[in-house]
Amino acid sequence: MLALLLLALPLQVLSVEKTFGVHPNLLSHYVPITEGNKSTWKCLNDSKVIPWQAVNDDYCDCPDGSDEPGTGACPNAKFYCRNEGHIGAYIPSSRVRDGLCEPACCDGSDELPGVCENVCKEVGDAYRKKVEAERKIRKTGSKIRASYIAFAQKEKKRLEGQIDTLKQEVATREKEVARLKDLVDRTESLSAAALEEKKKSPLYQSLLTHHNALKSLQREHKKHLDREKALGDILDRLRSGYNPNYQDMAVLEAVRGWEYLAGLPHINDVKKDEDAENSVNAPGDVAEEEELEEGMWTPSQLENQLDGLLKTDYEALLLEHENHIGAETPESLLFNLASYLPESILPQFEALQEGLVSWLELLGVIRPGSKTGSADASRAREAFNDAEHSLKLTKEELQQAEENLSQLFDPEGFGKEGEWKKLEGTCLEKDTGDYTYEVCLFDEARQKPNKGGSTFSLGHFSRWNDAPGVEVGTPEYYSKQYYTQGTKCWNGPWRSVVLELSCGTENALLSVAELEKCEYQFIGTSPALCLPLEAMQPRKDEL
């Protein structure tokens, strides 16, 4: 009986076809090389020539395992299941004839006949239904994606037009700023002479004298404060080291006087009651505060506000004084007419004005500097500053528009075709009962309590899927978004989200899970991932 079993085993092995487990595309390589009465076969990697009988004989001869596709003899060999009615698939040859039905081999070819049922028809039908449903979703989604791309193209045209307009506006504003700068320089040079004349007034000279006197008093005051502090330190040391048993009346009188001035308790009382906190903290006789006349400064004001007073801009005060005393005097039409003239003829008017004023001053009709030069200079400076500020804002707007255009078709931003631009700021939500989870694309993810409480940030958008081996711009690259640096967890990490996306007809969140403490996984869909059907590579192995 045992002999019969031993004979039966090699017969089963020998019954394996030489092309068993070979992919149809490789069948032409599994043909013997006949030389006379001898048949040989070369390993697929050309590393070795073996007898034809050694192919699929359950013994590994080739280093690449290509001689044993239908047996488990070679650990690196692959067995191909034809799966007629479905899709062919590879499995490791080590799983062939192991008594287990491999799901990848729905035709059961990996085991002896009768062990595994051929279910490729049922599996193939189910697979084709699934593929058809996905195809319909992708077809609908790709149309929506096409509208996103069209939006990006419109946005491109809008930004290009905006950039052209802003460049022209910048050029115009630069010319205006240059014109006003020249006007300011000329106006201020004229008003400088008038200012020097005003500085000769008795009021301004008196202000300077008071300023210098006050500064000198401040210097002397600081000297006295330093001297007082030094004397206070000496008396403090005398007071702490004073021994009343010696009855030195001079020292006693000095200590008593210092305690009175400084508002300190007598040193003997402190030593007697040093364990009683109230007694230690009890103040001694405090000198009465001096009553100040109205307007006089307190010591605190002298200490903290005197520096600010000494930094007063007396020239500005002088000009304000001039404006104040002349506020009711209307300006002549000659000096106010510029406010009503168009900018195109202002330079000619200003030149005419300067010449006319010079002649009037020369003839003695008006006094030199009688024109409110400071007021003109102030208005010119204000107009220049306004124009310069407007130019700055326009340049910033231009820079932002150029940045938006450069990011529009950036593969690491809104995609090579700009398909994600329309979704910028689009918020997706998922209600889980206690919380509503929200992610605003390219912005921030949040956790909002449904029954009151604080909303937590789960992170801000930081990048797409940058895992090793993932190529920028591929569907896999756009299948994940990372949101990081959210609100910090108690005794945990900063909250973060990985948003995993797939093709769908809607922008939606399907599920939320907290995989680790404060680390969340959002699953969602978006039409932006639905490539056109013709862009998808067909499966050549589908039968």
Side-chain angles (χ1 to χ4, degrees), residues 201-212:
S201 70
L203 174 63
Y204 184 75
Q205 295 299 320
S206 178
L207 282 173
L208 289 183
T209 302
H210 281 75
H211 171 81
N212 293 330

Side-chain angles (χ1 to χ4, degrees), residues 445-495:
R446 303 177 186 88
Q447 180 193 61
K448 302 186 291 187
N450 292 335
K451 300 176 182 178
S454 301
T455 296
F456 290 104
S457 171
L458 302 184
H460 293 79
F461 175 75
S462 60
R463 65 190 189 280
W464 289 103
N465 183 13
D466 57 355
V470 177
E471 184 179 350
V472 174
T474 61
E476 186 180 3
Y477 179 74
Y478 299 119
S479 65
K480 287 184 181 180
Q481 284 190 342
Y482 290 87
Y483 293 77
T484 57
Q485 295 297 306
T487 306
K488 197 174 191 307
C489 276
W490 176 255
N491 287 333
W494 299 95
R495 289 175 170 85

